[in-house]
């Protein structure tokens, strides 16, 4: 190996490597050239291995040429990198561009079940009269559910509710929300305006108007001098808010063991507006709730002095109210979770 041969090899490498850098299609090709030519195991290193066979005075000359070759190749690579890098960035920006004017994909939103929607509307209307929502437990005890509501163990009124009992001593699934109001009376001092929405349970054969699970909303107002006219006034306002201002109303005698006197509250039939209709049994009236003045004994059980305070209470089935509002004939559709039905209420 002599000086002339090494020099020409180095010059040939410079020409080939700078030419390759100039013609490289992308930056990955430049990385490959850099490794092949300038890398630890690259061609430049391979040529310089021949330096050992040269006379000592020639070695620095070859070293100087080798450094110059390295410099030219690095410069050519750097120049090509700058050129290719910016066109690659431009290509990537073009390929990955987002069209911000494309319409968005709609998000499927859930909606309230019609029963819950009605329960909230009832709460909203009575909320305007100052009633506040409360909750009671779904598993109740016999004392709160029956005895404190003036329904003793042998009272025939117990036949009105076919109660489901659970495996807890004295425990049952509440068949109405009234025991929750007993709990409100124990927890609060008058004046009380409590609304109690909640799920109730009865041993029931399911048909178009009965289910073993259903919702009630119950109201309780206790204050000095609360009377039947207060009850009637609020129920009429409620009926107008719920079913329309022009809705006819009727207040008539009823019976519950925990109220005295007790009333049934009707609205004019929404289907026929008069006699001769199957929806209201041809009477022109549909009962929407039961109510009455809280029995003095029940006030006493609630820890309230009936000589000083009086109260009214009312209770309604949310399924029934929802059926009347939306013209639904069979309450089983509320339990089935069929989206074709439920999506109509979105
Ligand atoms: C109905 C009738 C009613 C009550 C519920 C009540 C609660 C207490 C005291 C007195 Cl703590 N009364 N609640 C009163 C009358 C009627 O519900 O048919 N509900 C579906």
């Amino acid at each position: 190996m002599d000086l002339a041969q090494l020099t020409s090899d180095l010059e040939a490498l410079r020409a080939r490597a700078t030419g390759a850098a100039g013609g490289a299609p992308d930056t990955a090709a430049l990385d490959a050239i850099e490794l092949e030519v300038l890398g630890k195991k690259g061609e430049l290193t391979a040529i310089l291995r021949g330096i050992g066979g040269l006379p000592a005075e020639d070695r620095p000359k070859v070293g100087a040429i080798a450094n110059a070759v390295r410099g030219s190749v690095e410069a050519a690579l750097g120049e090509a990198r700058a050129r290719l890098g910016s066109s690659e960035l431009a290509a990537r920006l073009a390929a990955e561009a987002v069209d911000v004017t494309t319409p968005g994909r709609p998000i499927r939103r859930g909606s309230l079940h019609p029963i819950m929607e009605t329960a909230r509307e009832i709460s909203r209307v009575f909320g305007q009269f100052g009633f506040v929502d409360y909750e009671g437990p779904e598993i109740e005890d016999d004392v709160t559910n029956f005895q404190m509501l003036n329904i003793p163990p042998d009272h025939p009124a117990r036949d009105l509710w076919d109660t489901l009992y659970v495996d807890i001593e004295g425990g049952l699934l509440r068949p109405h929300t009234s025991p929750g109001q007993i709990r409100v009376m124990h927890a609060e001092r008058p004046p009380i305006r409590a609304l109690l929405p909640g799920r109730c349970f009865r041993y029931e054969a399911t048909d178009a108007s009965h289910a073993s699970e259903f919702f009630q909303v119950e109201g309780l107002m206790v204050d000095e001098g609360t009377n039947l006219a207060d009850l009637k006034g609020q129920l009429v306002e409620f009926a107008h808010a719920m079913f329309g201002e022009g809705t006819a109303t009727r207040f008539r005698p009823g019976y519950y063991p925990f109220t005295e006197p007790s009333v049934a509250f009707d609205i004019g039939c929404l289907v026929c507006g008069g006699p001769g209709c199957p929806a209201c049994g041809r009477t022109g009236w549909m009962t929407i709730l039961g109510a009455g003045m809280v029995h003095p004994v029940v006030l006493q059980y609630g820890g309230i002095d009936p000589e000083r305070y009086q109260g009214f209470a009312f209770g309604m089935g949310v399924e029934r109210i929802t059926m009347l509002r939306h013209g639904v004939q069979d309450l089983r559709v509320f339990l089935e979770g069929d989206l074709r039905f439920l999506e109509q209420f979105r």
Side-chain angles (χ1 to χ4, degrees), residues 148-149 161 176-183 185 202 214-220 255-259 262-263 288-295 298-299 312-318:
M148 288 184 167
L149 286 161
W161 299 285
H176 51 181
T177 44
S178 310
Q181 299 288 25
I182 297 289
R183 294 175 184 275
M185 286 194 267
R202 288 181 196 176
F214 53 96
F215 267 81
Q216 276 192 355
V217 173
E218 190 161 306
L220 172 72
Y255 170 74
Y256 298 101
F258 31 77
T259 46
S262 302
V263 300
I288 61 163
L289 57 82
M293 297 305 297
V294 179
H295 197 294
V298 175
L299 285 174
F312 67 67
F314 56 85
M316 67 191 99
V318 182

mmCIF file of all heavy atoms in Angstrom, residues 148-149 161 176-183 185 202 214-220 255-259 262-263 288-295 298-299 312-318, ligand 1:
data_model
loop_
_atom_site.group_PDB
_atom_site.id
_atom_site.type_symbol
_atom_site.label_atom_id
_atom_site.label_comp_id
_atom_site.label_asym_id
_atom_site.label_seq_id
_atom_site.Cartn_x
_atom_site.Cartn_y
_atom_site.Cartn_z
ATOM 1 N N MET A 148 -97.228 2.929 62.818
ATOM 2 C CA MET A 148 -97.203 4.388 62.966
ATOM 3 C C MET A 148 -98.105 5.093 61.961
ATOM 4 O O MET A 148 -98.369 6.286 62.077
ATOM 5 C CB MET A 148 -95.767 4.905 62.833
ATOM 6 C CG MET A 148 -94.931 4.543 64.049
ATOM 7 S SD MET A 148 -93.306 5.228 63.942
ATOM 8 C CE MET A 148 -92.759 4.969 65.635
ATOM 9 N N LEU A 149 -98.580 4.348 60.961
ATOM 10 C CA LEU A 149 -99.523 4.916 60.000
ATOM 11 C C LEU A 149 -100.954 4.517 60.365
ATOM 12 O O LEU A 149 -101.858 4.552 59.535
ATOM 13 C CB LEU A 149 -99.173 4.464 58.580
ATOM 14 C CG LEU A 149 -97.933 5.171 58.015
ATOM 15 C CD1 LEU A 149 -97.354 4.391 56.850
ATOM 16 C CD2 LEU A 149 -98.271 6.595 57.587
ATOM 17 N N TRP A 161 -102.687 -3.807 50.859
ATOM 18 C CA TRP A 161 -101.348 -3.953 50.281
ATOM 19 C C TRP A 161 -100.864 -5.372 50.490
ATOM 20 O O TRP A 161 -100.715 -5.812 51.634
ATOM 21 C CB TRP A 161 -100.374 -2.979 50.961
ATOM 22 C CG TRP A 161 -100.785 -1.579 50.765
ATOM 23 C CD1 TRP A 161 -100.662 -0.859 49.627
ATOM 24 C CD2 TRP A 161 -101.408 -0.721 51.725
ATOM 25 N NE1 TRP A 161 -101.176 0.406 49.795
ATOM 26 C CE2 TRP A 161 -101.647 0.516 51.077
ATOM 27 C CE3 TRP A 161 -101.807 -0.871 53.058
ATOM 28 C CZ2 TRP A 161 -102.241 1.589 51.727
ATOM 29 C CZ3 TRP A 161 -102.393 0.201 53.687
ATOM 30 C CH2 TRP A 161 -102.608 1.410 53.025
ATOM 31 N N HIS A 176 -95.535 1.363 50.008
ATOM 32 C CA HIS A 176 -95.888 2.761 49.741
ATOM 33 C C HIS A 176 -94.772 3.629 50.331
ATOM 34 O O HIS A 176 -93.917 3.126 51.069
ATOM 35 C CB HIS A 176 -97.260 3.131 50.331
ATOM 36 C CG HIS A 176 -97.441 2.774 51.779
ATOM 37 N ND1 HIS A 176 -98.596 3.002 52.481
ATOM 38 C CD2 HIS A 176 -96.593 2.201 52.678
ATOM 39 C CE1 HIS A 176 -98.476 2.577 53.719
ATOM 40 N NE2 HIS A 176 -97.269 2.090 53.866
ATOM 41 N N THR A 177 -94.738 4.916 49.981
ATOM 42 C CA THR A 177 -93.661 5.788 50.475
ATOM 43 C C THR A 177 -93.997 6.428 51.816
ATOM 44 O O THR A 177 -93.145 7.101 52.402
ATOM 45 C CB THR A 177 -93.348 6.884 49.432
ATOM 46 O OG1 THR A 177 -94.573 7.407 48.928
ATOM 47 C CG2 THR A 177 -92.516 6.334 48.288
ATOM 48 N N SER A 178 -95.224 6.180 52.324
ATOM 49 C CA SER A 178 -95.654 6.833 53.572
ATOM 50 C C SER A 178 -94.701 6.641 54.762
ATOM 51 O O SER A 178 -94.507 7.596 55.534
ATOM 52 C CB SER A 178 -97.054 6.355 53.947
ATOM 53 O OG SER A 178 -97.924 6.457 52.837
ATOM 54 N N PRO A 179 -94.084 5.446 54.965
ATOM 55 C CA PRO A 179 -93.178 5.329 56.118
ATOM 56 C C PRO A 179 -92.020 6.330 56.049
ATOM 57 O O PRO A 179 -91.501 6.757 57.091
ATOM 58 C CB PRO A 179 -92.677 3.884 56.042
ATOM 59 C CG PRO A 179 -92.945 3.438 54.635
ATOM 60 C CD PRO A 179 -94.196 4.175 54.233
ATOM 61 N N GLY A 180 -91.635 6.710 54.837
ATOM 62 C CA GLY A 180 -90.585 7.732 54.694
ATOM 63 C C GLY A 180 -91.019 9.053 55.317
ATOM 64 O O GLY A 180 -90.200 9.796 55.875
ATOM 65 N N GLN A 181 -92.327 9.355 55.240
ATOM 66 C CA GLN A 181 -92.828 10.605 55.832
ATOM 67 C C GLN A 181 -92.803 10.534 57.357
ATOM 68 O O GLN A 181 -92.595 11.547 58.028
ATOM 69 C CB GLN A 181 -94.248 10.899 55.339
ATOM 70 C CG GLN A 181 -94.372 11.073 53.833
ATOM 71 C CD GLN A 181 -93.773 12.366 53.308
ATOM 72 O OE1 GLN A 181 -92.882 12.952 53.926
ATOM 73 N NE2 GLN A 181 -94.254 12.809 52.164
ATOM 74 N N ILE A 182 -93.040 9.342 57.910
ATOM 75 C CA ILE A 182 -92.898 9.172 59.365
ATOM 76 C C ILE A 182 -91.466 9.523 59.767
ATOM 77 O O ILE A 182 -91.211 10.227 60.762
ATOM 78 C CB ILE A 182 -93.233 7.712 59.772
ATOM 79 C CG1 ILE A 182 -94.695 7.374 59.451
ATOM 80 C CG2 ILE A 182 -92.914 7.477 61.257
ATOM 81 C CD1 ILE A 182 -95.730 8.063 60.327
ATOM 82 N N ARG A 183 -90.502 9.033 58.959
ATOM 83 C CA ARG A 183 -89.087 9.332 59.243
ATOM 84 C C ARG A 183 -88.786 10.824 59.136
ATOM 85 O O ARG A 183 -87.993 11.366 59.908
ATOM 86 C CB ARG A 183 -88.176 8.534 58.303
ATOM 87 C CG ARG A 183 -88.264 7.029 58.556
ATOM 88 C CD ARG A 183 -87.469 6.221 57.545
ATOM 89 N NE ARG A 183 -87.664 4.795 57.775
ATOM 90 C CZ ARG A 183 -86.955 4.082 58.660
ATOM 91 N NH1 ARG A 183 -85.987 4.678 59.345
ATOM 92 N NH2 ARG A 183 -87.205 2.811 58.841
ATOM 93 N N MET A 185 -90.958 13.220 59.784
ATOM 94 C CA MET A 185 -91.520 13.857 60.993
ATOM 95 C C MET A 185 -90.591 13.684 62.192
ATOM 96 O O MET A 185 -90.458 14.589 63.019
ATOM 97 C CB MET A 185 -92.911 13.281 61.292
ATOM 98 C CG MET A 185 -93.977 13.792 60.344
ATOM 99 S SD MET A 185 -95.658 13.449 60.911
ATOM 100 C CE MET A 185 -95.986 11.905 60.112
ATOM 101 N N ARG A 202 -94.977 -4.455 45.729
ATOM 102 C CA ARG A 202 -96.119 -5.206 46.240
ATOM 103 C C ARG A 202 -96.160 -6.565 45.586
ATOM 104 O O ARG A 202 -95.694 -6.736 44.459
ATOM 105 C CB ARG A 202 -97.444 -4.475 45.944
ATOM 106 C CG ARG A 202 -97.611 -3.238 46.807
ATOM 107 C CD ARG A 202 -98.921 -2.512 46.549
ATOM 108 N NE ARG A 202 -98.822 -1.166 47.110
ATOM 109 C CZ ARG A 202 -99.745 -0.233 46.996
ATOM 110 N NH1 ARG A 202 -100.862 -0.487 46.336
ATOM 111 N NH2 ARG A 202 -99.571 0.957 47.533
ATOM 112 N N PHE A 214 -92.998 -0.257 41.415
ATOM 113 C CA PHE A 214 -93.573 0.958 40.840
ATOM 114 C C PHE A 214 -93.066 2.156 41.626
ATOM 115 O O PHE A 214 -92.414 2.000 42.670
ATOM 116 C CB PHE A 214 -95.111 0.884 40.883
ATOM 117 C CG PHE A 214 -95.663 0.585 42.250
ATOM 118 C CD1 PHE A 214 -96.085 1.610 43.093
ATOM 119 C CD2 PHE A 214 -95.745 -0.734 42.697
ATOM 120 C CE1 PHE A 214 -96.566 1.328 44.362
ATOM 121 C CE2 PHE A 214 -96.226 -1.015 43.982
ATOM 122 C CZ PHE A 214 -96.636 0.015 44.804
ATOM 123 N N PHE A 215 -93.351 3.341 41.118
ATOM 124 C CA PHE A 215 -92.889 4.567 41.784
ATOM 125 C C PHE A 215 -94.060 5.336 42.364
ATOM 126 O O PHE A 215 -95.125 5.413 41.749
ATOM 127 C CB PHE A 215 -92.135 5.460 40.797
ATOM 128 C CG PHE A 215 -90.664 5.222 40.822
ATOM 129 C CD1 PHE A 215 -90.112 4.153 40.129
ATOM 130 C CD2 PHE A 215 -89.827 6.037 41.584
ATOM 131 C CE1 PHE A 215 -88.752 3.902 40.174
ATOM 132 C CE2 PHE A 215 -88.467 5.798 41.628
ATOM 133 C CZ PHE A 215 -87.926 4.740 40.928
ATOM 134 N N GLN A 216 -93.817 5.897 43.541
ATOM 135 C CA GLN A 216 -94.788 6.814 44.128
ATOM 136 C C GLN A 216 -94.094 8.128 44.436
ATOM 137 O O GLN A 216 -92.882 8.164 44.675
ATOM 138 C CB GLN A 216 -95.325 6.261 45.452
ATOM 139 C CG GLN A 216 -96.462 5.282 45.293
ATOM 140 C CD GLN A 216 -97.151 4.982 46.618
ATOM 141 O OE1 GLN A 216 -96.734 5.432 47.681
ATOM 142 N NE2 GLN A 216 -98.214 4.209 46.531
ATOM 143 N N VAL A 217 -94.885 9.189 44.437
ATOM 144 C CA VAL A 217 -94.415 10.439 45.035
ATOM 145 C C VAL A 217 -95.444 10.815 46.081
ATOM 146 O O VAL A 217 -96.653 10.820 45.811
ATOM 147 C CB VAL A 217 -94.259 11.577 44.004
ATOM 148 C CG1 VAL A 217 -93.927 12.888 44.716
ATOM 149 C CG2 VAL A 217 -93.170 11.251 42.990
ATOM 150 N N GLU A 218 -94.957 11.074 47.264
ATOM 151 C CA GLU A 218 -95.855 11.418 48.351
ATOM 152 C C GLU A 218 -95.461 12.788 48.904
ATOM 153 O O GLU A 218 -94.288 13.134 48.943
ATOM 154 C CB GLU A 218 -95.725 10.348 49.436
ATOM 155 C CG GLU A 218 -96.778 10.498 50.479
ATOM 156 C CD GLU A 218 -96.949 9.227 51.283
ATOM 157 O OE1 GLU A 218 -97.163 8.165 50.681
ATOM 158 O OE2 GLU A 218 -96.863 9.321 52.501
ATOM 159 N N GLY A 219 -96.474 13.557 49.314
ATOM 160 C CA GLY A 219 -96.203 14.881 49.885
ATOM 161 C C GLY A 219 -96.745 14.962 51.297
ATOM 162 O O GLY A 219 -97.739 14.307 51.631
ATOM 163 N N LEU A 220 -96.080 15.758 52.107
ATOM 164 C CA LEU A 220 -96.529 15.972 53.490
ATOM 165 C C LEU A 220 -96.284 17.427 53.866
ATOM 166 O O LEU A 220 -95.193 17.949 53.670
ATOM 167 C CB LEU A 220 -95.747 15.061 54.451
ATOM 168 C CG LEU A 220 -95.961 15.309 55.949
ATOM 169 C CD1 LEU A 220 -97.349 14.838 56.386
ATOM 170 C CD2 LEU A 220 -94.876 14.613 56.775
ATOM 171 N N TYR A 255 -110.986 7.159 51.333
ATOM 172 C CA TYR A 255 -110.659 6.545 52.621
ATOM 173 C C TYR A 255 -109.208 6.067 52.675
ATOM 174 O O TYR A 255 -108.742 5.357 51.774
ATOM 175 C CB TYR A 255 -111.566 5.344 52.937
ATOM 176 C CG TYR A 255 -111.045 4.603 54.146
ATOM 177 C CD1 TYR A 255 -111.206 5.159 55.424
ATOM 178 C CD2 TYR A 255 -110.314 3.426 54.029
ATOM 179 C CE1 TYR A 255 -110.659 4.540 56.535
ATOM 180 C CE2 TYR A 255 -109.764 2.798 55.146
ATOM 181 C CZ TYR A 255 -109.938 3.371 56.388
ATOM 182 O OH TYR A 255 -109.388 2.778 57.488
ATOM 183 N N TYR A 256 -108.501 6.487 53.718
ATOM 184 C CA TYR A 256 -107.196 5.927 54.081
ATOM 185 C C TYR A 256 -107.146 5.877 55.598
ATOM 186 O O TYR A 256 -107.698 6.780 56.250
ATOM 187 C CB TYR A 256 -106.034 6.792 53.558
ATOM 188 C CG TYR A 256 -106.025 6.890 52.054
ATOM 189 C CD1 TYR A 256 -106.526 8.038 51.428
ATOM 190 C CD2 TYR A 256 -105.542 5.857 51.268
ATOM 191 C CE1 TYR A 256 -106.550 8.137 50.046
ATOM 192 C CE2 TYR A 256 -105.566 5.938 49.882
ATOM 193 C CZ TYR A 256 -106.070 7.083 49.279
ATOM 194 O OH TYR A 256 -106.112 7.160 47.919
ATOM 195 N N PRO A 257 -106.497 4.876 56.183
ATOM 196 C CA PRO A 257 -106.460 4.809 57.650
ATOM 197 C C PRO A 257 -105.601 5.905 58.279
ATOM 198 O O PRO A 257 -105.794 6.234 59.455
ATOM 199 C CB PRO A 257 -105.871 3.422 57.939
ATOM 200 C CG PRO A 257 -105.401 2.870 56.651
ATOM 201 C CD PRO A 257 -105.895 3.714 55.536
ATOM 202 N N PHE A 258 -104.654 6.474 57.501
ATOM 203 C CA PHE A 258 -103.721 7.457 58.081
ATOM 204 C C PHE A 258 -104.137 8.903 57.861
ATOM 205 O O PHE A 258 -103.423 9.828 58.248
ATOM 206 C CB PHE A 258 -102.297 7.226 57.553
ATOM 207 C CG PHE A 258 -102.255 6.663 56.157
ATOM 208 C CD1 PHE A 258 -102.492 7.474 55.049
ATOM 209 C CD2 PHE A 258 -102.003 5.313 55.966
ATOM 210 C CE1 PHE A 258 -102.452 6.949 53.775
ATOM 211 C CE2 PHE A 258 -101.966 4.773 54.669
ATOM 212 C CZ PHE A 258 -102.187 5.588 53.575
ATOM 213 N N THR A 259 -105.299 9.110 57.205
ATOM 214 C CA THR A 259 -105.802 10.477 57.040
ATOM 215 C C THR A 259 -107.268 10.536 57.456
ATOM 216 O O THR A 259 -108.011 9.570 57.322
ATOM 217 C CB THR A 259 -105.666 10.947 55.567
ATOM 218 O OG1 THR A 259 -106.130 9.923 54.705
ATOM 219 C CG2 THR A 259 -104.228 11.290 55.225
ATOM 220 N N SER A 262 -110.316 11.822 54.419
ATOM 221 C CA SER A 262 -109.523 11.417 53.261
ATOM 222 C C SER A 262 -110.263 11.808 51.991
ATOM 223 O O SER A 262 -111.502 11.896 51.988
ATOM 224 C CB SER A 262 -109.321 9.897 53.261
ATOM 225 O OG SER A 262 -108.681 9.476 54.450
ATOM 226 N N VAL A 263 -109.503 12.070 50.933
ATOM 227 C CA VAL A 263 -110.123 12.475 49.666
ATOM 228 C C VAL A 263 -109.470 11.750 48.494
ATOM 229 O O VAL A 263 -108.352 11.255 48.598
ATOM 230 C CB VAL A 263 -110.014 14.008 49.425
ATOM 231 C CG1 VAL A 263 -110.699 14.788 50.531
ATOM 232 C CG2 VAL A 263 -108.547 14.423 49.291
ATOM 233 N N ILE A 288 -106.243 10.867 39.983
ATOM 234 C CA ILE A 288 -104.786 10.931 39.838
ATOM 235 C C ILE A 288 -104.044 10.775 41.163
ATOM 236 O O ILE A 288 -102.860 10.471 41.165
ATOM 237 C CB ILE A 288 -104.308 12.218 39.128
ATOM 238 C CG1 ILE A 288 -104.694 13.488 39.908
ATOM 239 C CG2 ILE A 288 -104.859 12.273 37.700
ATOM 240 C CD1 ILE A 288 -103.891 14.710 39.459
ATOM 241 N N LEU A 289 -104.737 10.980 42.288
ATOM 242 C CA LEU A 289 -104.049 10.772 43.569
ATOM 243 C C LEU A 289 -105.040 10.678 44.714
ATOM 244 O O LEU A 289 -106.219 11.024 44.571
ATOM 245 C CB LEU A 289 -103.014 11.882 43.828
ATOM 246 C CG LEU A 289 -103.461 13.352 43.844
ATOM 247 C CD1 LEU A 289 -104.053 13.743 45.197
ATOM 248 C CD2 LEU A 289 -102.274 14.255 43.551
ATOM 249 N N GLY A 290 -104.526 10.195 45.851
ATOM 250 C CA GLY A 290 -105.294 10.165 47.079
ATOM 251 C C GLY A 290 -104.633 11.090 48.090
ATOM 252 O O GLY A 290 -103.426 11.325 48.026
ATOM 253 N N ALA A 291 -105.440 11.611 49.026
ATOM 254 C CA ALA A 291 -104.897 12.586 49.970
ATOM 255 C C ALA A 291 -105.792 12.693 51.196
ATOM 256 O O ALA A 291 -106.801 11.990 51.313
ATOM 257 C CB ALA A 291 -104.773 13.960 49.285
ATOM 258 N N GLY A 292 -105.409 13.567 52.111
ATOM 259 C CA GLY A 292 -106.251 13.803 53.275
ATOM 260 C C GLY A 292 -105.506 14.577 54.344
ATOM 261 O O GLY A 292 -104.335 14.922 54.176
ATOM 262 N N MET A 293 -106.236 14.873 55.431
ATOM 263 C CA MET A 293 -105.610 15.516 56.586
ATOM 264 C C MET A 293 -104.980 14.424 57.445
ATOM 265 O O MET A 293 -105.633 13.422 57.759
ATOM 266 C CB MET A 293 -106.652 16.292 57.406
ATOM 267 C CG MET A 293 -107.309 17.441 56.654
ATOM 268 S SD MET A 293 -106.130 18.630 55.959
ATOM 269 C CE MET A 293 -105.355 19.261 57.448
ATOM 270 N N VAL A 294 -103.710 14.596 57.798
ATOM 271 C CA VAL A 294 -102.985 13.573 58.561
ATOM 272 C C VAL A 294 -103.748 13.275 59.860
ATOM 273 O O VAL A 294 -104.120 14.193 60.607
ATOM 274 C CB VAL A 294 -101.549 14.028 58.878
ATOM 275 C CG1 VAL A 294 -100.812 12.958 59.692
ATOM 276 C CG2 VAL A 294 -100.782 14.323 57.586
ATOM 277 N N HIS A 295 -104.009 11.990 60.113
ATOM 278 C CA HIS A 295 -104.733 11.561 61.310
ATOM 279 C C HIS A 295 -103.958 12.014 62.545
ATOM 280 O O HIS A 295 -102.729 11.866 62.596
ATOM 281 C CB HIS A 295 -104.870 10.030 61.290
ATOM 282 C CG HIS A 295 -105.909 9.507 62.225
ATOM 283 N ND1 HIS A 295 -105.794 9.615 63.598
ATOM 284 C CD2 HIS A 295 -107.098 8.899 61.979
ATOM 285 C CE1 HIS A 295 -106.858 9.079 64.161
ATOM 286 N NE2 HIS A 295 -107.674 8.638 63.206
ATOM 287 N N VAL A 298 -101.445 9.714 63.854
ATOM 288 C CA VAL A 298 -100.231 9.584 63.045
ATOM 289 C C VAL A 298 -99.271 10.744 63.345
ATOM 290 O O VAL A 298 -98.057 10.553 63.439
ATOM 291 C CB VAL A 298 -100.583 9.503 61.541
ATOM 292 C CG1 VAL A 298 -99.331 9.483 60.681
ATOM 293 C CG2 VAL A 298 -101.441 8.268 61.267
ATOM 294 N N LEU A 299 -99.814 11.956 63.534
ATOM 295 C CA LEU A 299 -98.971 13.093 63.934
ATOM 296 C C LEU A 299 -98.271 12.778 65.249
ATOM 297 O O LEU A 299 -97.071 13.023 65.403
ATOM 298 C CB LEU A 299 -99.819 14.371 64.078
ATOM 299 C CG LEU A 299 -100.272 15.054 62.787
ATOM 300 C CD1 LEU A 299 -101.215 16.217 63.124
ATOM 301 C CD2 LEU A 299 -99.082 15.574 61.983
ATOM 302 N N PHE A 312 -101.479 18.002 56.017
ATOM 303 C CA PHE A 312 -102.115 17.209 54.962
ATOM 304 C C PHE A 312 -101.053 16.351 54.295
ATOM 305 O O PHE A 312 -99.844 16.639 54.391
ATOM 306 C CB PHE A 312 -102.882 18.078 53.950
ATOM 307 C CG PHE A 312 -102.049 18.992 53.077
ATOM 308 C CD1 PHE A 312 -101.173 18.481 52.125
ATOM 309 C CD2 PHE A 312 -102.188 20.383 53.183
ATOM 310 C CE1 PHE A 312 -100.438 19.326 51.304
ATOM 311 C CE2 PHE A 312 -101.450 21.241 52.365
ATOM 312 C CZ PHE A 312 -100.572 20.699 51.425
ATOM 313 N N ALA A 313 -101.517 15.285 53.644
ATOM 314 C CA ALA A 313 -100.604 14.406 52.906
ATOM 315 C C ALA A 313 -101.312 13.940 51.655
ATOM 316 O O ALA A 313 -102.539 13.922 51.582
ATOM 317 C CB ALA A 313 -100.183 13.217 53.763
ATOM 318 N N PHE A 314 -100.507 13.609 50.649
ATOM 319 C CA PHE A 314 -101.073 13.060 49.411
ATOM 320 C C PHE A 314 -100.080 12.073 48.837
ATOM 321 O O PHE A 314 -98.883 12.113 49.152
ATOM 322 C CB PHE A 314 -101.382 14.171 48.391
ATOM 323 C CG PHE A 314 -100.179 15.026 48.056
ATOM 324 C CD1 PHE A 314 -99.281 14.631 47.074
ATOM 325 C CD2 PHE A 314 -99.950 16.221 48.736
ATOM 326 C CE1 PHE A 314 -98.173 15.419 46.771
ATOM 327 C CE2 PHE A 314 -98.844 17.007 48.430
ATOM 328 C CZ PHE A 314 -97.947 16.609 47.453
ATOM 329 N N GLY A 315 -100.589 11.157 48.035
ATOM 330 C CA GLY A 315 -99.699 10.187 47.400
ATOM 331 C C GLY A 315 -100.197 9.871 46.012
ATOM 332 O O GLY A 315 -101.396 9.836 45.765
ATOM 333 N N MET A 316 -99.248 9.691 45.083
ATOM 334 C CA MET A 316 -99.665 9.360 43.707
ATOM 335 C C MET A 316 -98.720 8.345 43.096
ATOM 336 O O MET A 316 -97.547 8.254 43.462
ATOM 337 C CB MET A 316 -99.745 10.620 42.844
ATOM 338 C CG MET A 316 -98.418 11.291 42.573
ATOM 339 S SD MET A 316 -98.667 12.917 41.819
ATOM 340 C CE MET A 316 -98.488 13.973 43.259
ATOM 341 N N GLY A 317 -99.259 7.568 42.159
ATOM 342 C CA GLY A 317 -98.464 6.602 41.414
ATOM 343 C C GLY A 317 -97.874 7.280 40.190
ATOM 344 O O GLY A 317 -98.601 7.838 39.366
ATOM 345 N N VAL A 318 -96.544 7.256 40.090
ATOM 346 C CA VAL A 318 -95.883 7.991 39.006
ATOM 347 C C VAL A 318 -96.183 7.352 37.642
ATOM 348 O O VAL A 318 -96.335 8.052 36.643
ATOM 349 C CB VAL A 318 -94.363 8.083 39.255
ATOM 350 C CG1 VAL A 318 -93.672 8.881 38.154
ATOM 351 C CG2 VAL A 318 -94.096 8.729 40.606
HETATM 352 C C1 LIG B 1 -102.381 6.914 47.082
HETATM 353 C C2 LIG B 1 -102.695 7.643 48.322
HETATM 354 C C3 LIG B 1 -101.788 8.701 50.221
HETATM 355 C C4 LIG B 1 -100.850 9.575 52.227
HETATM 356 C C5 LIG B 1 -100.700 8.903 51.040
HETATM 357 C C6 LIG B 1 -99.670 9.959 54.361
HETATM 358 C C7 LIG B 1 -98.465 9.929 54.991
HETATM 359 C C8 LIG B 1 -98.424 10.199 56.334
HETATM 360 C C9 LIG B 1 -99.527 10.501 57.017
HETATM 361 C C10 LIG B 1 -100.710 10.545 56.339
HETATM 362 CL CL1 LIG B 1 -96.950 10.135 57.171
HETATM 363 N N1 LIG B 1 -100.771 10.256 55.036
HETATM 364 N N2 LIG B 1 -99.737 9.707 53.044
HETATM 365 C C11 LIG B 1 -102.078 10.086 52.579
HETATM 366 C C12 LIG B 1 -103.150 9.893 51.755
HETATM 367 C C13 LIG B 1 -103.024 9.215 50.541
HETATM 368 O O1 LIG B 1 -101.580 8.023 49.043
HETATM 369 O O2 LIG B 1 -103.247 6.455 46.432
HETATM 370 N N3 LIG B 1 -101.119 6.807 46.715
HETATM 371 C C14 LIG B 1 -100.714 6.126 45.529
#
